[in-house]
Each structure stands twice: as structure tokens, then as C-alpha cells.
Amino acid sequence: MGAEQINQTEKEESLEQLLEQAKQLSDRLEDEELPLEEAFLTYEEGMKLIKRCNEKIDAVEQKMQVLTADGSLTDFVTREDRELRNS
């Protein structure tokens, strides 16, 4: 599978699918019989999945708009964004 094909697969995976995969890896890490080297690899894979989850969440936040009380749409602003703007 080439890099382009992997990137396409990553785009098609839903956040729910990624979180489920991360949970499965977490469950696997709880197995006391898991060899240490395999545990390290599982942990690394889990961290990559969490990074992809965060990227998906960030992309959604950037696209979100908020319906204000007067019916107009404004861009969604996170608490972190507000803090950065005020500093």
C-alpha cells in the first residue's frame, strides 16, 4: 500500500472508528502477558491514532460556525483561540 493510498484510508476513517481502534489498543496494553517490546509498539501505534483523532477534531473546529442569538453565523472560537488573541 503506497503513501497516497494510506493517506486516503486515513481520511475515510471516522473519528469513532479511530477512537474504537485506540480503545482496542488500550485494552491490549492492559494485558499483563503482553511482552514489553510489543507493549511499546502498541503504545506507539496508539499515540499515532490519538494524533490522527486530534487532527480530525481540529479540522472540524476550524470548519464549525456558531449560530448566534440574532440568527447570524460566526466562526467557532475555542477558549485557546481567545486566550491567544488576548495575549
Side-chain angles (χ1 to χ4, degrees), residues 51-83:
K51 180 181 179 201
R52 287 173 35 210
C53 289
N54 286 333
E55 289 169 353
K56 283 190 173 285
I57 292 169
D58 290 345
V60 169
E61 282 181 346
Q62 290 175 359
K63 293 178 184 176
M64 283 183 61
Q65 292 190 326
V66 177
L67 182 60
T68 61
D70 67 0
S72 63
L73 290 175
T74 62
D75 289 335
F76 178 79
V77 179
T78 65
R79 184 177 316 140
E80 291 173 347
D81 291 338
R82 279 192 291 274
E83 290 170 359

Side-chain angles (χ1 to χ4, degrees), residues 3-20:
E4 187 175 307
Q5 203 170 15
I6 291 171
N7 288 338
Q8 184 63 30
T9 301
E10 288 177 2
K11 289 179 184 178
E12 292 172 1
E13 289 178 313
S14 70
L15 181 58
E16 291 80 8
Q17 290 170 321
L18 293 172
L19 291 172
E20 179 58 32

